[in-house]
């Protein structure tokens, strides 16, 4: 699982090689090992890593870069707590600790192969989805059509603008919650926009965003004729270890860190509604 | 089989400590009995009659606080100094059969997929000398979990009969330790005496109020959602004051937190016991998945009776020690929970 020779809880030292300001409260950090040996570990889309600044705290983050990025790992992080606020004060050259990868990835090399894929994301929920999109785009011949539906509170809250305007341009459908000056795209919540776009059900859907959005998106997809077995999502609960020991991220007998974070939506019917 | 007089135990412990093995044994301090490090000073307060220590021997395999590493940050460089793994042999003497099973439950979590190396190293150094329960208490219900108080497991089993300890090694670790202290033991063939003691224990156990069978068959993983959504949790959890006592004294409660302590020149990262009974256990920046005490109370019992068995081939993570029955300030406990599910809704 890991690269630590001691215990899984002992991290490696990483260094921040680039910081990109995405929105007023989201920055994307590029991280490599401080000893010059490149990426801290290999991962698959949907997997997570524990990042920490000793003295501030340690928390789990989804890896937003694709494994096909051989240079570094990227993390799109929203400032919303003690550690994330601190991470936002860091500069290129600062060090953090990193351990992982944790969790079950999206089934990009089996179930999703050859499929048309519909990516649906809300807000910072675009972070883990970006890893899958870039993986699929880098291995384009392995997959069918792709569509991306992405919504945020406002135009200035849309992350990964560079890629939205270039790589994703022809496949992406954007929406913002409220009408605003200069915005020519759709206005409205993601579930409603999804129904408006009226996708055919010959696709596998990947959904990530706030829990409330996931629930409404799933309802919309079912209304559109999708089956739960065609929809994958990723959940998030508080974690301390990352590998099913510390006992806090369970939903029923599933640990989100180990049995998730990626779940097929029919699996959600077998676990308690406690997330 | 071997024998040793109870009065000669301090001599045996002294021999072990002199040869570099820590010995932890039940010692009375004031009105509490706990496993303490054996020294000459505590020899007179050794207590093999009190059935249960207040704290379980969980402390020795999963310490309440475990140091992971020191971190220093200088000139933007982070340096880590990892805590060494346990390398000193130790003996826990007088572990009751329920608590031996408790350690086995922890083993099933910490020694598997992935192995916790701090736990593994500490566990490997320890020899468990168990003690049969000649006087089980009213609050004991180990039999419900198929634990035999007359046949303690561990590395060496002991039956205390008329101030004499009957000593039987059960594992390689136990055999090695027995060889080490052989000169202090007497050979014994009093198997009849031990068998009579076992029969006596079993009769006593059968007469206990909770031995008549708790309806554990109601708690099966296939009924997970049904039990989770049962209305009975509202009433059961009402009196819970979220003190967390049950989780700390429980021999199988295994959840931990990872925290940093800023010691000035360096940051100490450690893990420590945590409790699912506390409101910040699942608190995140975006909210809390368990907002009420009912949800937290339910989590603890669901984990013991349904979630852990679901993940560990039907093994319950309760061993019937009865500590929560004794110590809960609101008189809540797992027996009450199990019994309340006796009748289907």
């Amino acid at each position: 699982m890991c690269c630590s020779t001691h215990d899984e809880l002992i991290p490696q030292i990483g260094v921040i090689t680039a910081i990109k300001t995405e929105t007023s409260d989201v920055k994307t950090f590029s991280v490599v090992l401080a000893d010059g040996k490149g990426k801290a570990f290999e991962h698959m889309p949907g997997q997570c890593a524990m990042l920490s600044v000793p003295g501030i705290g340690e928390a789990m983050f989804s890896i937003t870069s694709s494994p096909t990025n051989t240079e570094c790992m990227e993390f799109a992080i929203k400032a919303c707590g003690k550690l994330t606020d601190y991470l936002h004060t860091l500069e290129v050259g600062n060090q953090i600790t990193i351990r992982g990868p944790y969790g079950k990835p999206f089934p990009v090399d089996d179930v999703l192969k050859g499929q048309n894929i519909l990516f649906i994301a809300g807000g910072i929920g675009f972070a883990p989805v970006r890893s899958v999109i870039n993986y699929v785009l880098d291995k384009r011949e392995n997959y069918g059509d792709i569509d991306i539906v992405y919504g945020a509170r406002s135009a200035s809250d849309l992350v990964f603008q560079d890629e939205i305007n270039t790589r994703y341009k022809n496949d992406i459908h954007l929406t913002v919650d409220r009408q605003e000056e200069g915005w020519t795209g759709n206005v409205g919540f993601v579930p409603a926009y999804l129904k408006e776009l009226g996708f055919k059900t010959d696709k596998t859907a990947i959904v990530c965003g706030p829990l409330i959005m996931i629930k409404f998106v799933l309802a919309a997809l079912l209304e559109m004729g999708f089956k739960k077995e065609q929809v994958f999502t990723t959940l998030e609960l508080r974690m301390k270890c990352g590998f099913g020991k510390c006992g806090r991220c369970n939903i029923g007998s599933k640990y989100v860190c180990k049995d998730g974070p990626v779940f097929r939506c029919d699996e959600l019917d077998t676990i308690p509604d406690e997330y | 089989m071997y024998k040793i007089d109870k009065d000669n135990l301090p001599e045996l412990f002294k021999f072990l400590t002199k040869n570099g093995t820590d010995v932890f044994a039940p010692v009375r301090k004031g009105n509490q009995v706990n496993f303490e490090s054996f020294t000459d000073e505590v020899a007179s307060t050794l207590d093999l009659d009190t059935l249960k220590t207040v704290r379980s021997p969980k402390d020795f395999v999963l310490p309440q606080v475990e140091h992971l590493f020191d971190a220093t940050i200088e000139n933007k460089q982070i340096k880590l100094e990892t805590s060494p793994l346990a390398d000193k042999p130790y003996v826990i003497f007088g572990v009751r059969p329920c608590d031996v099973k408790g350690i086995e439950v922890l083993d099933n979590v910490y020694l598997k997929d992935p192995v916790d190396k701090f736990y593994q190293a500490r566990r490997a150094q320890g020899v468990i000398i168990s003690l049969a329960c000649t006087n089980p208490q009213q609050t004991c219900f180990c039999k419900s979990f198929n634990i035999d108080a007359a046949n303690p497991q561990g590395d060496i089993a002991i039956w205390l009969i008329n101030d004499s300890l009957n000593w039987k090694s059960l594992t390689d670790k136990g055999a090695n330790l027995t060889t080490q202290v052989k000169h202090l033991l007497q050979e014994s063939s009093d198997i009849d005496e031990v068998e009579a003691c076992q029969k006596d224990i079993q009769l006593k156990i059968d007469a206990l109020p909770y031995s008549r069978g708790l309806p554990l068959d109601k708690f099966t993983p296939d009924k997970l959602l049904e039990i989770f959504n049962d209305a009975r949790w509202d009433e059961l959890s009402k009196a819970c004051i979220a003190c967390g006592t049950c989780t700390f004294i429980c021999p199988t409660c295994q959840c931990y937190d990872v925290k940093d302590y800023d010691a000035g020149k360096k940051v100490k990262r450690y893990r420590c016991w945590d409790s699912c009974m506390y409101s910040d256990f699942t608190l995140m920046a975006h909210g809390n998945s368990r907002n009420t005490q009912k949800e937290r109370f339910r989590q603890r019992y669901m984990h013991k009776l349904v979630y852990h068995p679901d993940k560990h081939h039907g093994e319950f993570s309760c061993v019937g020690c009865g500590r929560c029955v004794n110590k809960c300030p609101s008189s809540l406990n797992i027996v009450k929970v199990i019994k309340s599910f006796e009748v289907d809704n």
Side-chain angles (χ1 to χ4, degrees):
Chain A
M1 166 179 253
C2 162
C3 5
S4 165
T5 52
H6 197 75
D7 187 75
E8 191 63 43
L9 287 170
I10 311 297
Q12 302 185 83
I13 313 291
V15 61
I16 297 168
T17 54
I19 300 173
K20 187 170 181 305
T21 301
E22 303 281 356
T23 71
S24 62
D25 58 4
V26 177
K27 286 182 180 179
T28 300
F29 298 84
S30 302
V31 178
V32 297
L33 285 178
D35 61 13
K37 288 182 183 156
K39 291 200 283 185
F41 43 78
E42 293 301 322
H43 77 283
M44 289 303 284
Q47 286 190 302
C48 302
M50 274 282 187
L51 302 184
S52 157
V53 177
I56 309 296
E58 188 176 48
M60 192 72 103
F61 296 93
S62 67
I63 304 165
T64 191
S65 53
S66 160
T68 47
N69 177 340
T70 53
E71 306 283 311
C72 65
M73 296 169 88
E74 291 166 334
F75 300 90
I77 295 173
K78 182 170 176 164
C80 60
K82 192 180 167 193
L83 176 66
T84 53
D85 286 353
Y86 190 86
L87 288 170
H88 272 242
T89 68
L90 295 182
E91 295 163 0
V92 169
N94 281 148
Q95 294 187 346
I96 58 171
T97 74
I98 180 167
R99 59 186 176 91
Y102 299 122
K104 212 176 61 179
F106 286 102
V108 283
D109 287 343
D110 39 84
V111 179
L112 291 172
K113 241 181 176 173
Q115 299 290 310
N116 300 321
I117 308 175
L118 171 58
F119 297 98
I120 306 161
I124 190 65
F126 205 14
V129 175
R130 175 181 178 250
S131 176
V132 200
I133 297 174
N134 287 354
Y135 187 82
V136 168
L137 291 178
D138 288 342
K139 296 177 181 262
R140 197 65 195 88
E141 66 286 1
N142 289 344
Y143 302 90
D145 295 337
I146 72 160
D147 285 282
I148 308 167
V149 180
Y150 176 42
R153 278 171 305 181
S154 70
S156 58
D157 286 306
L158 292 163
V159 296
F160 312 134
Q161 297 270 6
D162 288 354
E163 282 156 309
I164 286 173
N165 293 323
T166 55
R167 257 194 132 181
Y168 308 157
K169 200 171 182 192
N170 298 325
D171 305 313
I172 199 162
H173 313 268
L174 298 171
T175 184
V176 295
D177 288 359
R178 274 176 240 50
Q179 184 60 57
E180 59 185 271
E181 253 188 76
W183 177 254
T184 53
N186 189 74
V187 176
F189 294 131
V190 170
Y193 187 38
L194 199 59
K195 281 196 273 184
E196 217 172 283
L197 290 165
F199 292 101
K200 282 198 282 180
T201 57
D202 60 346
K203 302 173 197 310
T204 303
I206 286 179
V207 188
C208 188
L211 192 60
I212 188 76
M213 187 210 91
I214 295 175
K215 284 184 176 172
F216 280 104
V217 162
L218 184 59
L221 288 170
L222 295 179
E223 219 177 286
M224 290 159 70
F226 281 81
K227 291 192 176 65
K228 286 182 182 177
E229 289 80 357
Q230 285 172 272
V231 186
F232 289 86
T233 190
T234 166
L235 299 178
E236 170 177 44
L237 283 180
R238 191 168 189 197
M239 297 167 187
K240 285 290 176 173
C241 67
F243 40 88
K245 306 267 193 251
C246 78
R248 87 190 50 227
C249 70
N250 75 297
I251 306 170
S253 22
K254 305 267 187 212
Y255 284 113
V256 174
C257 67
K258 193 175 167 190
D259 304 311
V262 173
F263 290 94
R264 206 172 72 177
C265 283
D266 56 314
E267 270 184 272
L268 301 182
D269 292 338
T270 67
I271 58 177
D273 187 11
E274 194 181 46
Y275 45 88
Chain B
M1 289 267 297
Y2 294 91
K3 264 191 176 187
I4 179 169
D5 280 350
K6 196 176 154 192
D7 291 344
N8 293 337
L9 267 183
E11 195 188 340
L12 182 135
F13 293 165
K14 263 183 229 171
F15 173 81
L16 286 170
T17 49
K18 254 184 206 161
N19 287 281
T21 298
D22 286 333
V23 176
F24 302 98
V27 164
R28 175 169 289 276
K29 258 191 200 166
N31 59 359
Q32 291 200 342
V33 176
N34 273 311
F35 289 99
E36 302 281 349
S37 181
F38 182 83
T39 57
D40 286 347
E41 289 79 53
V42 301
S44 61
T45 51
L46 192 66
D47 186 336
L48 299 186
D49 301 319
T50 299
L51 191 72
K52 267 163 292 189
T53 49
V54 176
R55 294 170 71 111
S56 84
K58 168 172 82 178
D59 297 54
F60 302 103
V61 290
L62 186 69
Q64 187 162 1
V65 177
E66 176 144 52
H67 183 232
L68 302 173
F69 60 80
D70 283 344
T72 48
I73 308 179
E74 267 172 36
N75 305 324
K76 294 187 180 176
Q77 308 276 305
I78 300 177
K79 283 203 176 72
L80 301 187
E81 197 182 320
T82 306
S83 218
L85 299 177
D87 58 357
K88 192 170 187 205
Y90 63 95
V91 165
I92 327 173
F93 183 91
V95 182
R96 299 295 177 173
C98 53
D99 285 342
V100 175
K101 175 67 188 177
I103 293 173
E104 191 187 313
V105 171
L106 295 177
D107 285 351
N108 287 336
V109 173
Y110 282 96
L111 294 181
K112 283 175 194 163
D113 191 29
V115 169
D116 184 300
K117 297 204 176 97
F118 287 102
Y119 182 95
Q120 185 187 40
R122 187 169 297 98
R123 189 72 181 81
Q125 293 295 338
V127 176
I128 297 170
I129 304 185
S130 61
L131 183 58
C133 304
T134 30
N135 284 304
Q137 283 173 346
Q138 296 286 304
T139 50
C140 293
F141 53 104
C142 59
K143 193 177 175 179
S144 300
F145 296 101
N146 298 319
I147 296 163
D148 186 355
N151 269 303
Q153 301 302 300
D155 299 305
I156 292 165
I158 284 190
W159 291 265
L160 178 58
I161 306 166
N162 301 327
D163 283 343
S164 178
L165 284 81
N166 291 264
W167 172 298
K168 187 182 171 190
S169 143
L170 303 173
T171 64
D172 288 348
K173 263 184 180 178
N176 287 339
L177 188 94
T178 304
T179 311
Q180 210 186 327
V181 299
K182 216 169 195 167
H183 62 286
L184 297 165
L185 306 172
Q186 302 136 30
E187 297 251 7
S188 162
S189 53
D190 283 345
I191 291 168
D192 293 352
E193 201 179 57
V194 171
E195 278 176 1
C197 170
Q198 287 175 325
K199 267 190 199 133
D200 178 57
I201 293 172
Q202 269 146 1
L203 284 174
K204 284 178 185 164
I205 293 273
D206 284 342
L208 293 177
Y210 302 143
S211 286
R212 274 164 240 139
L214 295 173
L216 283 163
D217 55 331
K218 300 282 176 187
F219 297 88
T220 52
D222 61 308
K223 283 188 264 172
L224 188 149
L225 289 179
E226 199 184 307
I227 306 166
F228 182 91
N229 293 314
D230 198 291
R232 276 170 277 209
W233 294 111
D234 292 307
E235 198 56 40
L236 279 168
S237 62
K238 255 184 192 162
C240 179
I241 58 167
C243 67
T245 301
C246 54
T247 50
F248 291 120
I249 55 168
C250 178
T252 69
C253 265
Q254 57 208 231
C255 295
Y256 65 75
D257 197 357
V258 174
K259 288 180 117 45
D260 286 351
Y261 171 71
D262 193 339
K265 282 186 180 162
K266 48 176 109 167
V267 169
K268 292 187 166 291
R269 176 157 301 168
Y270 61 97
R271 70 159 159 209
C272 56
W273 295 352
D274 202 353
S275 174
C276 57
M277 289 294 181
Y278 297 157
S279 57
D280 63 354
F281 188 71
T282 45
L283 183 66
M284 301 177 70
H286 79 171
N288 198 336
S289 54
R290 293 186 203 118
N291 278 304
T292 64
Q293 198 55 27
K294 170 199 153 180
E295 291 167 307
R296 303 189 271 270
F297 179 91
R298 176 175 59 190
Q299 160 63 23
R300 179 159 188 273
Y301 294 103
M302 287 296 286
H303 184 222
K304 303 248 176 254
L305 301 169
V306 185
Y307 304 157
H308 182 91
D310 194 15
K311 281 230 180 283
H312 298 92
H313 313 289
E315 174 191 80
F316 291 105
S317 61
C318 173
V319 295
C321 73
R323 284 187 178 86
C324 58
V325 182
N326 276 332
K327 294 291 178 198
C328 175
S330 300
S331 300
L332 299 169
N333 59 68
I334 198 161
V335 173
K336 215 174 238 182
V337 170
I338 297 167
K339 282 173 95 91
S340 75
F341 278 86
E342 189 151 25
V343 183
D344 290 333
N345 257 354

